[in-house]
Every structure is written in C-alpha cells, then in structure tokens.
Amino acid sequence: MNMPLTSQPSSSTAQPGAELAINGGTPVRTQPLPWEFPGAYWMGEEELDLVSRVVKARSPFRFYGLDAQGMVDTLEAEWRTNFGHKHALGVSSGSVALTIALSALDLGPGDEVLVPGYLWVSCVSAVVRTGAIPKLVDIDDTFCIDPQDLQRQIGPRTRAVLCVHMSGAPGNIQEIASICKDRHLFLVEDCAQAAGASYKGRAVGRFGDIGIFSFQLNKNMTSGEGGLMVCEDDTLFRRIVALHDLGYPRTEAGRLDVNDPDTQLWGLGARMSELAGAMALAQMRKLPAITQAMRNAKWRIRDALEGTPGLKFRTVLDRAGDSGPALLMMLPDEASARSFIDALNAEGIVGPQGSLTCITMRQWGMHWYSNIPSLVNRRSNSRDGFPWTHPDNAFANAYSYKQGALAKCDDLHARGAMLAIASTLTDQDVSDVIQAMRKVAQGVL
Ligand SMILES: *Cc1c(COP(=O)(O)O)cnc(C)c1O
C-alpha cells in the first residue's frame, strides 16, 4: 500500500502563555493543515490498477458488457464480509440511497419520518421527495439523536426514524434501535459520514432496517461519487435493488425481469458504474488504515486537552468505534466559540484556502436544520406545493423548522466548533494542534 503524503514540518516556537497570534504574537505554525478529504490522499496504484482493468476490458457497466470485471459485485461481497451485513448494494450516491431506502419502506403522504436537527440536507430532501413529512428530533452531547426526545416526538403518524451517525461516530444507537423496535418504527441509519465506524464491535448500518453510505469526496473513503446500501431482509432488499435500477429486478443474465407482480416499481436510475465500483473497492480495502490514522490523531489531541477549562468535547460512547474524521468541541457560549476559533485560525490551525478545517458550527451550513432554506420555507419541486399541501399531510401544518424548534440543537449550533481531522496528520501536525489549543484556551477561554 502506498503511504499518504505528509505535510511539511512547520515552525513550532510559541509557548503556552505566549502572546496570541491574533494579537500580534508568533503563530504556532505557518503551514496550512491538509485538506479534509480522508480517502483522496490514499489514492494510488491500487485504484489505478482496478480502474484500468475496467477500461482495458471496455466494460464500464455492472450487469453485462464485452468482458465485465465484476468490480461492483466484488465491492458488495467484500463489504458484506467485512461488516457482517446480509445484503449490500452499490449505488450512485448517498443522497439517492436515502430516497431509495424510504421508498423501499413504502413511505409517502400521511407518514412522518423523524430526523435529527444536526444532519445533512440530503436527509430532509429524501423524506420530502417521498411525499412524507420530516419531523425534527433534538440531539444530545453525542451530536446524534437524543433518545429521550425521540420518545417524546413519536406520534400517531410516525413510521420511521432516520438516525444520522454524524461526524464519524454513532450516538446512542443501541437505545435508539430498541425504542424503534418497541414502537414498531422502521429505523434507517445514515452512515454517510461514518464508514468504518461501529458501536461495541457492531458495524454501523447493522442496527436498523436499512443502512446507507456515501463515497463522495468528503467521506471516509471515496469514489468521487457513489454510495452503498445494506440491509438484512430479503424482500426489502429486492425492492431496494429494483428501486435503484429501473423499478424491476434483474435476471441472472442482467436483464430486467418484469414478471414479478410484487416488484413493479418506479426506479431512480442510480446504478453504480464499474469505474466507481473499482475506485470504491480499492478505497474500501484501505478504509481500516484511513480510519485508524484519523482516530489515532483525533484521540491524541482529545486526550491531551481533556480537562482544559472552558473546552468540552462531544460525547463518544465507544471510542474504538469512532471513525475519527472530526473533533467536535463545545465552548461556554457563542462569543467564546467565535473567539476560540478565530484565535486558533490565527495560530495556523487552519486548512488550505477554501477548506472548512477549523470552524465554528455557525459556519457548517446545511448540517443544521435551521440553515436549510427549502425546509424552513417548506419549498416544493412542483407547482402544487407537494408534499406540504397534500391533504394527508395536513397533520403537519403547524410543524416548525425555524431556529427555535430544537433547544439543544440550537445551543450546540451556537457554541459548537469543529476541527476536521485529516487522514494524513503528522506527529508535528498533531503536536501543533495541541499546543495551539492550549495556548488559545489559556488566552481566550
Ligand atoms: C454526504 C452525506 C449524504 C449524501 O451523500 P452524497 O453521496 O453526497 O449524496 C447524506 N447524509 C449525510 C449525513 C452526508 O454527510
């Protein structure tokens, strides 16, 4: 395996207690931290080899071709073995995987899907596209669904819970899964940001009915675009396969099978190409190394700073299962979060121009419900205002998606901060981050 690139050593002269760089002192470092694209730095010969096999065989389509190489098939087979799922299906993105999952569960107008307020716009988009109504649930210090609020929000229309394993680590997934089971709700796990993560030895995606992953550039492994869906149930998987394709299952020969009356649906055209499959296969084989690098760097930083007055970290219930791409911090209030990050950036704890390496949660865009204009304003893709105006959805007329809807979420949005953990941090990078955080905490908190 090729080794990732390492960044240049940087100047590391300032001591804790020294003048802050933001006040004109010497910065801890001057070299930007690496980009937060975990898989990209690890791309090399392995990806090139598998992709070139597809090109040389002139067979970029998974179901048939001149000499199909079975890249997507192999990806799915190895994924099942590595993570213990019964079924796995490569798809073209994480966003479409969410839409497929909700349609596979037969959701639509009249149904409500519970979603946390810290998520990604795709989570809400998938619910609205099916014609169902998203209902917000608050989060806790895990930055994932708060099981107590989940209990409170379940109503007569609730049919499913979309649990989002944000920023690399699962929250209280066992409890969330058991609530869903008791209340007869479907559970979909959005593992887009958490490939390679687990909880007490069990891979994410194995707690609910369906799990989805993304291989977009920002995720733990990448094929540029791509995604994967997992589930246990044979009938549900047959629907998933049909929905990701043209609405019908395929025969052994890769041709559409229109004769099964139980599986005649409307497909999304979201198949994974053999090129994406080849990339994802090479990256999946490196996923343990990528996540280990991030996890180690992240926890070295966390352990060194634990107990720093004014600085708290997100609750991670099982550190071994954390895939590691982000260090989430909680500051005493919004003003201190802002000055903490401004001062850290000035110390050189910042990524390349245009990156979101070290930011306050206010800068984290559509990861927060109240920053999603199409949700706050109940937008529609069609003239009739569907699904908000659908008569079966009248139960949700008074639901609010404006800031103020979720107290804990709003609080963490205001005083939270994030350091993205690149998969290629050197020992020097790690010690610069620790030194800068100590210096800044002493100076501004
Ligand atoms: C990235 C992401 C998605 C969507 O995946 P794409 O492959 O970019 O469509 C869905 N949910 C979460 C939580 C994500 O971070």
Side-chain angles (χ1 to χ4, degrees):
M1 182 178 299
N2 60 318
M3 286 307 294
L5 301 173
T6 53
S7 54
Q8 298 300 308
S10 61
S11 60
S12 204
T13 48
Q15 294 304 311
E19 177 99 64
L20 296 180
I22 200 164
N23 298 330
T26 310
V28 169
R29 59 183 280 140
T30 51
Q31 193 78 26
L33 292 166
W35 281 97
E36 59 276 13
F37 305 139
Y41 283 100
W42 299 67
M43 267 177 207
E45 290 304 318
E46 298 78 8
E47 285 78 358
L48 211 50
D49 174 46
L50 295 183
V51 169
S52 72
R53 280 196 227 173
V54 172
V55 176
K56 283 178 186 155
R58 300 171 181 175
S59 299
F61 186 60
R62 72 168 296 181
F63 290 120
Y64 47 80
L66 297 178
D67 179 20
Q69 300 292 298
M71 291 295 171
V72 182
D73 284 341
T74 309
L75 168 71
E76 292 163 352
E78 289 190 19
W79 196 281
R80 291 194 301 263
T81 309
N82 290 349
F83 302 108
H85 303 289
K86 180 160 187 205
H87 296 292
L89 178 74
V91 294
S92 59
S93 79
S95 300
V96 82
L98 287 167
T99 299
I100 294 165
L102 299 181
S103 291
L105 295 171
D106 216 1
L107 299 178
D111 299 331
E112 173 178 275
V113 179
L114 300 184
V115 298
Y118 180 50
L119 77 180
W120 179 234
V121 57
S122 306
C123 305
V124 187
S125 175
V127 178
V128 173
R129 281 178 159 283
T130 63
I133 291 291
K135 186 184 198 187
L136 296 170
V137 183
D138 218 342
I139 61 173
D140 56 22
D141 283 350
T142 65
F143 282 75
C144 294
I145 285 180
D146 171 2
Q148 285 183 2
D149 197 51
L150 177 61
Q151 292 273 23
R152 279 192 292 273
Q153 297 304 332
I154 295 169
R157 297 298 189 139
T158 310
R159 288 199 54 213
V161 175
L162 178 55
C163 178
V164 193
H165 301 305
M166 290 299 287
S167 309
N172 225 319
I173 184 61
Q174 240 161 19
E175 207 176 325
I176 291 164
S178 97
I179 293 169
C180 290
K181 200 162 179 238
D182 290 348
R183 308 291 293 265
H184 305 292
L185 303 175
F186 295 120
L187 173 58
V188 177
E189 292 176 73
D190 180 341
C191 316
Q193 300 189 6
S198 59
Y199 184 72
K200 303 205 169 141
R202 191 179 176 92
V204 292
R206 283 183 57 201
F207 295 84
D209 297 282
I210 301 176
I212 74 99
F213 295 84
S214 165
F215 304 144
Q216 183 268 344
L217 182 64
N218 291 85
K219 318 300 168 143
N220 292 349
M221 53 170 275
T222 187
S223 49
E225 297 283 7
L228 190 125
M229 303 181 67
V230 294
C231 89
E232 296 302 302
D233 185 84
D234 297 343
T235 311
L236 190 54
F237 189 65
R238 197 169 163 80
R239 279 176 70 86
I240 289 173
V241 171
L243 285 162
H244 107 292
D245 200 346
L246 296 169
Y248 301 87
R250 294 216 176 230
T251 63
E252 282 291 314
R255 299 294 168 182
L256 293 166
D257 171 9
V258 298
N259 296 317
D260 171 7
D262 293 330
T263 320
Q264 294 170 345
L265 301 163
W266 299 105
L268 281 145
R271 295 176 300 247
M272 177 176 260
S273 87
E274 284 284 280
L275 290 166
M279 286 277 298
L281 177 56
Q283 286 266 296
M284 181 202 60
R285 290 171 176 167
K286 299 173 183 180
L287 185 61
I290 297 171
T291 54
Q292 186 182 319
M294 295 191 293
R295 181 169 47 249
N296 286 351
K298 169 185 166 171
W299 285 91
R300 277 166 65 197
I301 296 168
R302 242 189 101 145
D303 287 342
L305 294 161
E306 206 71 66
T308 303
L311 181 60
K312 286 207 164 62
F313 297 104
R314 163 222 203 145
T315 300
V316 174
L317 299 167
D318 174 17
R319 141 187 333 215
D322 180 1
S323 65
L327 179 70
L328 301 189
M329 297 168 275
M330 295 176 276
L331 289 305
D333 53 45
E334 181 165 8
S336 55
R338 181 73 268 160
S339 41
F340 183 70
I341 292 301
D342 285 346
L344 267 184
N345 291 164
E347 297 297 338
I349 306 307
V350 67
Q353 187 79 42
S355 68
L356 297 170
T357 298
C358 182
I359 57 174
T360 68
M361 281 299 185
R362 285 278 187 232
Q363 296 169 274
W364 200 215
M366 292 198 288
H367 289 93
W368 296 95
Y369 74 95
S370 56
N371 283 345
I372 304 174
S374 46
L375 175 64
V376 172
N377 302 318
R378 296 170 185 258
R379 296 292 189 206
S380 173
N381 286 351
S382 58
R383 278 172 301 164
D384 65 353
F386 179 85
W388 311 101
T389 51
H390 192 288
D392 291 353
N393 286 338
F395 69 90
N397 284 348
Y399 287 9
S400 169
Y401 306 104
K402 295 191 174 74
Q403 194 169 338
L406 300 176
K408 180 73 177 181
C409 223
D410 292 349
D411 177 46
L412 292 177
H413 184 192
R415 64 186 180 88
M418 184 180 78
L419 174 70
I421 304 294
S423 60
T424 55
L425 293 182
T426 61
D427 288 348
Q428 185 67 55
D429 294 334
V430 168
S431 74
D432 286 349
V433 169
I434 293 167
Q435 193 192 343
M437 286 213 184
R438 284 198 179 126
K439 182 183 173 191
V440 166
Q442 218 170 68
V444 309
L445 294 184

